[in-house]
């Protein structure tokens, strides 16, 4: 028989005694205390499913950083960042650092845990630098399915290996070359200075130097196949030198005249191959003028090519050098040409040239027809520019402290060439004066600033 219960007798004594355990269980689930509340918040925190895929095109090396066993979705906190994901990957690899409360049995095991590896991550083709959920919402990615994250070992900060003696004047341009005459994997550097001198250095030690111009050198380019060095100067002169690694001497190779009437600001050599019959040279000046030249190869210059006497520092007459006239010249930009580079698919028979200028534009030129086939207009002066070593992705630096990427490989719906432009967050406090892509890694780009 069920007896009615009044408001005052809501919890009779016999009911409490009979159902003590049940009452306590319900109380725990419905009215948790402070300690259990925090644990519940952690369990109810928003989470996201992801898959971790090793980046392709990167060798395994001896770090053994690739996960095995296939791609399996895992659940991680929605606000996890790069460091948190790096801890997850290291844990899955068994590289987690040993804890202080390790048991005696674990300490006696023969297997030792390896040191953790710092990782970087790509989500939707971009480096992960914010919380996972924030990036997914920004890029419009659906959270109903597992997010595919590509991971790879992070690039560690470079370590200095020494420095050279102080130069007599400012270094205006610098190009990295092979230590063995440009053909080996050495650590050579070729520099141009405001004293008009070219210096060839290996491991911070000067191997050779020569006074190439009467005025400051503004631009420099090196053909790694023939160790030919082209330099342009404020004194309106353009010359090439060759470096002999056996004798460690820099010798004047050719003088290029009849093309420019003002300061030469940029040069580019088409590094085609060691068996190429000719090397192409392009130069740009302060007023936007562009000249094309054919560099004499070895000692096989045309007999009709004029020569002139080169003078040494002691005014003594040296061997005769070639004097080269431009094959073409025209007005390419309305202002100074800050940089020149040949496209990735350029060859001696079919060459395309990319030019950047202070007139806020990038242009692509058909060298054979001397015709502009693409113009990209921006809203900032282009103070520096370089092309990726394995594609036609171009990076530009600007006075607003930012760097921009221009991908000229994209195709529009109509089938014509399009351009994808991305702007990086400012990483300098003043304008970017120079930048250079790694010759071996397309994911590394170096910039410097005033």
């Amino acid at each position: 028989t069920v007896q009615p219960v009044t408001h005052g007798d809501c919890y009779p004594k016999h009911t409490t005694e009979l159902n003590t355990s049940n009452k306590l269980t319900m109380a725990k689930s419905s009215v948790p205390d402070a300690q259990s509340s925090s644990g519940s918040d952690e369990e109810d925190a928003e989470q996201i499913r992801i898959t971790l895929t090793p980046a392709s095109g990167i060798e395994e090396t001896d770090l053994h950083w690739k996960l095995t066993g296939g791609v399996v979705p895992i659940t991680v906190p929605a606000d996890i960042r790069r460091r948190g994901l790096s801890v997850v990957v290291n844990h899955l690899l068994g590289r987690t650092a040993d804890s202080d409360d390790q048991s005696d049995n674990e300490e006696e095991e023969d297997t030792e845990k390896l040191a953790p590896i710092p990782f970087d991550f790509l989500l939707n083709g971009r480096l992960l630098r914010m919380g996972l959920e924030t990036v997914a919402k920004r890029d419009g990615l659906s959270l109903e399915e597992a997010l595919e994250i590509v991971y790879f070992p992070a690039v560690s900060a470079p370590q200095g290996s020494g420095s050279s003696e102080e130069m007599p004047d400012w270094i205006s341009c610098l190009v990295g070359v092979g230590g063995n005459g440009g053909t080996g994997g050495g650590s050579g550097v070729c520099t141009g200075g405001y004293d008009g001198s070219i210096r060839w250095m290996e491991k911070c030690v000067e191997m050779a130097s020569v006074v190439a111009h009467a005025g400051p050198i503004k631009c420099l380019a090196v053909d790694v196949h023939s160790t030919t060095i082209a330099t342009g100067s404020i004194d309106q002169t353009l010359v090439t030198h060759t470096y002999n690694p056996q004798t460690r001497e820099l010798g004047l190779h050719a003088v290029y005249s009849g093309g420019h009437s003002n300061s030469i600001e940029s040069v580019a050599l088409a590094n085609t191959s060691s068996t190429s019959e000719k090397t192409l040279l392009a130069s740009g000046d302060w007023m936007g003028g562009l000249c094309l030249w054919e560099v004499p190869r070895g000692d096989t210059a045309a007999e009709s090519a004029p020569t002139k006497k080169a003078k040494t520092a002691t005014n003594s007459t040296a061997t005769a050098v070639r004097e080269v006239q431009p094959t073409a010249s025209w007005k390419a930009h309305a202002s100074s040409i800050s940089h020149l580079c040949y496209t990735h698919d350029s060859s001696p028979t079919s060459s395309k040239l990319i030019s950047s200028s202070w007139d806020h534009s990038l242009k692509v030129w058909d060298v054979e027809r001397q015709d502009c086939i693409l113009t990209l207009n921006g809203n900032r002066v282009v103070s520096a520019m370089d092309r990726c070593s394995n594609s036609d992705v171009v990076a530009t630096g600007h006075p607003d402290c930012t760097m921009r990427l221009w991908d000229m490989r994209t195709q529009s719906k109509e089938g014509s060439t399009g351009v994808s432009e991305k702007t990086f967050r400012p990483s300098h406090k003043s304008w970017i004066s120079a930048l250079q892509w790694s010759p071996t890694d397309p994911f590394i780009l170096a910039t410097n600033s005033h």
Side-chain angles (χ1 to χ4, degrees):
T1 303
V2 178
Q3 299 293 333
V5 180
T6 62
H7 182 72
D9 299 325
C10 186
Y11 297 103
K13 184 180 294 184
H14 68 277
T15 304
T16 307
E17 293 174 353
L18 294 175
N19 300 314
T20 301
S21 60
N22 187 37
K23 283 282 185 178
L24 294 176
T25 302
M26 293 177 63
K28 287 183 178 179
S29 61
S30 60
V31 187
D33 57 15
Q35 182 177 359
S36 60
S37 176
S38 61
S40 176
D41 291 342
E42 292 179 1
E43 294 176 358
D44 295 340
E46 189 172 355
Q47 296 183 333
I48 295 178
R49 292 190 306 132
I50 65 170
T51 60
L52 294 168
T53 305
S56 59
I58 303 178
E59 296 181 359
E60 174 70 23
T61 68
D62 57 349
L63 293 178
H64 304 295
W65 56 271
K66 294 185 179 180
L67 294 172
T68 58
V71 178
V72 179
I74 61 175
T75 303
V76 296
D79 59 350
I80 194 170
R81 292 172 174 259
R82 178 172 65 95
R83 288 188 177 181
L85 286 173
S86 186
V87 172
V88 171
V89 176
N90 277 286
H91 176 74
L92 296 174
L93 291 171
R95 288 181 171 269
T96 307
D98 295 334
S99 59
D100 295 335
D101 56 350
Q102 189 178 25
S103 63
D104 296 336
N105 294 333
E106 291 178 345
E107 291 180 354
E108 293 175 358
E109 291 181 356
D110 294 334
T111 57
E112 296 181 358
K113 293 183 179 181
L114 301 175
I117 303 173
F119 286 97
D120 254 322
F121 302 87
L122 292 175
L123 177 59
N124 199 27
R126 302 178 67 178
L127 285 171
L128 186 65
R129 289 296 181 265
M130 294 185 291
L132 199 58
E133 185 181 24
T134 303
V135 176
K137 291 180 178 180
R138 181 196 65 189
D139 296 345
L141 302 178
S142 174
L143 299 180
E144 297 296 329
E145 300 179 355
L147 299 177
E148 182 180 354
I149 297 180
V150 178
Y151 71 96
F152 54 93
V155 178
S156 58
Q159 301 293 328
S161 58
S163 60
S164 66
E165 297 181 357
E166 185 175 351
M167 299 297 177
D169 211 331
W170 289 352
I171 299 175
S172 55
C173 45
L174 179 149
V175 175
V177 293
N180 186 18
T183 59
S187 56
V189 169
C190 189
T191 67
Y194 262 64
D195 58 353
S197 297
I198 304 172
R199 290 176 175 83
W200 189 287
M201 311 190 69
E202 296 180 12
K203 298 181 179 180
C204 299
V205 178
E206 183 177 309
M207 297 288 102
S209 64
V210 64
V211 178
H213 300 272
I217 296 176
K218 293 302 299 291
C219 50
L220 182 148
V222 179
D223 181 1
V224 296
H225 300 294
S226 61
T227 62
T228 300
I229 306 166
T231 54
S233 172
I234 290 180
D235 63 8
Q236 307 175 14
T237 59
L238 176 65
V239 297
T240 54
H241 288 74
T242 56
Y243 174 67
N244 189 329
Q246 281 73 35
T247 61
R248 295 182 178 179
E249 292 180 350
L250 283 165
L252 183 60
H253 174 253
V255 176
Y256 303 80
S257 58
H260 298 284
S261 58
N262 49 76
S263 174
I264 300 174
E265 298 293 313
S266 56
V267 291
L269 283 164
N271 297 325
T272 52
S273 66
S274 58
T275 59
S276 177
E277 295 181 357
K278 63 179 180 179
T279 301
L280 305 177
L281 172 65
S283 58
D285 60 38
W286 178 257
M287 297 301 294
L290 179 63
C291 292
L292 301 178
W293 318 78
E294 185 173 331
V295 180
R297 197 75 167 170
D299 296 329
T300 59
E303 295 181 357
S304 58
T307 60
K308 64 186 298 183
K309 298 291 185 179
K311 294 184 178 180
T312 63
T314 57
N315 294 328
S316 61
T317 303
T319 58
V321 297
R322 301 173 182 84
E323 185 173 0
V324 182
Q325 297 294 320
T327 58
S329 61
W330 66 91
K331 181 78 170 180
H333 289 273
S335 188
S336 173
I337 298 178
S338 56
H339 198 84
L340 295 167
C341 64
Y342 285 89
T343 59
H344 178 61
D345 58 352
S346 291
S347 66
T349 58
S350 177
S351 296
K352 294 181 179 64
L353 184 70
I354 305 173
S355 61
S356 63
S357 172
W358 283 35
D359 63 5
H360 303 184
S361 69
L362 290 171
K363 293 185 178 182
V364 182
W365 301 89
D366 187 317
V367 173
E368 297 297 324
R369 296 184 302 166
Q370 301 158 31
D371 183 27
C372 180
I373 58 178
L374 179 64
T375 300
L376 306 174
N377 292 312
N379 56 2
R380 292 289 188 275
V381 166
V382 184
S383 55
M385 186 263 289
D386 195 22
R387 177 185 60 80
C388 183
S389 58
N390 64 354
S391 66
D392 284 332
V393 177
V394 174
T396 57
H398 306 268
D400 61 353
C401 313
T402 60
M403 185 186 72
R404 293 173 173 85
L405 286 184
W406 309 79
D407 191 349
M408 302 184 183
R409 304 169 300 175
T410 57
Q411 296 291 326
S412 63
K413 295 181 179 179
E414 294 77 12
S416 59
T417 302
V419 177
S420 174
E421 184 262 345
K422 292 184 179 180
T423 302
F424 283 70
R425 297 170 60 186
S427 55
H428 294 282
K429 296 182 179 179
S430 186
W431 74 343
I432 297 176
S433 57
L435 56 83
Q436 187 170 8
W437 227 298
S438 168
T440 57
D441 192 336
F443 298 102
I444 297 180
L445 180 67
T447 62
N448 65 345
S449 169
H450 288 298

